Amino acid sequence: MRYALIAILALLALLIIAPPLLGTGWQYALINALIAALFAAAFNLLVGQGGMLSFGHAAYFGVGAFTVIHLMQSVEYGDIPFPTVLLPLAGAAVSLLCGALAGFFATMRSGVYFALVTLALAELLHSLAPHWDEMFGGEAGLSSMRMPSLGFTFGSTLEVYYLTLSWVVICIGLLYAYTRTPFGRLTLALRDNEQRIRFMGFNAHGTKIVVFAISAMFSGVAGSLMAISNETANYSVFSTQVSALVVLHTFVGGSTIFFGPIVGACVLSLFTFVVSGVTHSWMLYQGIIFVLVMLFAPKGIGGVIQAHIEQRHALPWKRLAAPYALATLAGLMVACATVFVVQSLEIVLSREYAAAVARTGEYAPYTVFAREWQVFHPFTWLFPVLLLVPGLYLLRRAFARIKALWDKDDDDDNGDVPAATQQLMEGGR
């Protein structure tokens, strides 16, 4: 716990010190990453701790956003004197009420039926919002301006960043404190065995409603911060894409670990910011990452980190250094081959390239990795094969060596049952 606290304080110090040294684009990207982290942490309260997978959590994210936009308009027009720094409280309150109401009906069912009910509720808002101009502003949405509050103008991205950081730290701290309470333990028990909870005399349905409402409340805070940052909101915040994105962030980070979804949200948000400015195929790369994590680390990035932390005193780090380095090199080779093929096909199959061929009658060279490549030259398509095949072979050799070292360590500690490899692959128990 001491080392974890030191790491958290160091990260927090970095988040406070670094942004003024960055450009506006990176400051805005960090704001989006923080909002995504809070949204994922709130969603994980429902799915990771409560065992209830929602496909429509964008509904409460959007409710919080529109609540704050309406309140910002009232403040802007002088109708209500309300401090900007406390605007997320309004979004939290309305999302809590909506979450309690929706949760009452959704939690009457479990499993896939619960997921479908949540999806239907979100789609109801998504289809209603474009046609309800007074409440949601139609297809154009609503907009307002951040007003000065408590000595801050909130005219700069940096001030908005620190406001977002403050709210995210407070909310994540409250969510973590929730997990340490008796009701938080009851939430975990509800996930593991709902029938046993009923036999013990607890109201399982009421418990699920409370968990659902609390998750919706913190999702509303995330939506409120998004509205404050963008100064606008439209019906797209209710879309299935927003709901699917938080699911992606949660499972890539690891839903069984508290900080896992936070890690996944930050990593993928910053990955999107960097890669989307370079290629139109960034969603394909995001999907590849998700598939690879689900196949080889089902408990996510956070689970892999936790497995190493738990085994840090027993693992033969000196002997693991070489296979880990080899696996990194081989992974880069496979990644480069994949990127080369995807980018080549993106360029060659694009409308612009087809128009250029029709205009000139020639297949012009294209540029990938700062080098020109000829479409019909054999080496152009041999190059990714020369990277991919050796890369996959080296990956297999490296993982076999890593597996052997983890199994040997587990055999030394626990007898003949090699459970450490399973822990590594699952990303933590």
Side-chain angles (χ1 to χ4, degrees):
M1 288 296 294
R2 183 176 69 236
Y3 293 123
L5 182 60
I6 292 173
I8 291 172
L9 291 176
L11 177 61
L12 185 58
L14 181 63
L15 290 174
I16 294 173
I17 296 171
L21 307 177
L22 303 174
T24 304
W26 273 102
Q27 291 173 3
Y28 185 71
L30 289 174
I31 291 173
N32 289 335
L34 289 171
I35 293 171
L38 176 57
F39 190 21
F43 177 76
N44 193 51
L45 173 63
L46 187 67
V47 63
Q49 298 179 56
M52 295 175 279
L53 178 59
S54 170
F55 286 148
H57 235 51
Y60 317 103
F61 182 86
V63 165
F66 275 103
T67 300
V68 166
I69 284 293
H70 279 289
L71 189 53
M72 287 173 66
Q73 288 182 338
S74 298
V75 174
E76 181 183 356
Y77 300 148
D79 298 332
I80 300 176
F82 200 90
T84 301
V85 295
L86 298 181
L87 285 173
L89 288 177
V94 177
S95 295
L96 176 66
L97 294 176
C98 292
L101 179 62
F104 176 82
F105 296 102
T107 54
M108 290 181 178
R109 295 291 180 264
S110 59
V112 66
Y113 303 105
F114 169 83
L116 291 176
V117 171
T118 59
L119 176 62
L121 292 173
E123 282 302 297
L124 177 65
L125 284 175
H126 185 240
S127 59
L128 176 65
H131 307 288
W132 193 352
D133 293 349
E134 293 79 8
M135 182 63 66
F136 301 108
E139 294 186 358
L142 300 173
S143 61
S144 183
M145 293 180 61
R146 297 184 295 266
M147 303 304 293
S149 175
L150 302 180
F152 299 98
T153 63
F154 295 107
S156 68
T157 306
L158 190 60
E159 287 183 327
V160 177
Y161 168 81
Y162 284 120
L163 174 64
T164 304
L165 177 63
S166 300
W167 272 100
V168 169
V169 170
I170 292 171
C171 290
I172 290 178
L174 291 174
L175 284 168
Y176 182 76
Y178 171 92
T179 65
R180 316 304 293 179
T181 63
F183 193 83
R185 300 297 184 184
L186 179 62
T187 305
L188 293 175
L190 182 69
R191 177 195 67 186
D192 295 335
N193 196 323
E194 181 180 341
Q195 188 175 11
R196 181 174 294 179
I197 291 297
R198 290 195 176 94
F199 288 159
M200 293 173 64
F202 292 102
N203 185 342
H205 183 219
T207 302
K208 290 196 287 186
I209 293 173
V210 173
V211 174
F212 194 100
I214 294 174
S215 176
M217 179 183 70
F218 285 103
S219 299
V221 174
S224 302
L225 294 172
M226 186 274 294
I228 294 172
S229 173
N230 295 344
E231 298 182 304
T232 185
N234 59 39
Y235 75 101
S236 64
V237 296
F238 297 118
S239 68
T240 54
Q241 182 179 355
V242 177
S243 296
L245 192 60
V246 72
V247 174
L248 179 72
H249 290 166
T250 300
F251 284 97
V252 167
S255 63
T256 59
I257 302 165
F258 178 81
F259 288 102
I262 298 171
V263 173
C266 292
V267 169
L268 288 181
S269 295
L270 296 178
F271 173 84
T272 300
F273 171 73
V274 173
V275 178
S276 61
V278 179
T279 174
H280 297 294
S281 302
W282 61 271
M283 292 189 69
L284 173 62
Y285 295 123
Q286 195 176 66
I288 291 173
I289 292 173
F290 178 73
V291 171
L292 291 176
V293 170
M294 291 299 98
L295 287 176
F296 300 107
K299 294 196 175 180
I301 299 172
V304 173
I305 295 173
Q306 184 189 44
H308 284 81
I309 292 175
E310 290 179 353
Q311 299 288 332
R312 65 188 181 279
H313 297 303
L315 287 174
W317 290 105
K318 291 183 178 179
R319 286 183 289 168
L320 279 170
Y324 275 5
L326 180 62
T328 302
L329 175 62
L332 289 174
M333 293 173 64
V334 173
C336 287
T338 304
V339 170
F340 180 86
V341 172
V342 171
Q343 294 306 117
S344 295
L345 292 177
E346 178 185 317
I347 295 172
V348 173
L349 299 179
S350 66
R351 293 181 179 180
E352 294 80 2
Y353 192 84
V357 172
R359 184 173 60 254
T360 63
E362 298 179 356
Y363 288 89
Y366 63 93
T367 303
V368 175
F369 294 153
R371 186 184 184 279
E372 288 191 347
W373 304 86
Q374 299 291 338
V375 177
F376 295 107
H377 196 284
F379 183 72
T380 299
W381 305 106
L382 181 62
F383 173 71
V385 176
L386 295 176
L387 287 175
L388 184 63
V389 174
L392 291 175
Y393 173 76
L394 292 176
L395 270 178
R396 185 175 180 181
R397 291 292 302 271
F399 283 146
R401 179 59 178 162
I402 292 170
K403 179 179 181 300
L405 290 173
W406 275 72
D407 286 350
K408 183 178 185 302
D409 167 68
D410 196 62
D411 289 344
D412 293 341
D413 293 340
N414 303 309
D416 297 329
V417 182
T421 299
Q422 182 180 359
Q423 182 185 7
L424 173 64
M425 297 305 294
E426 290 183 353
R429 293 185 177 93

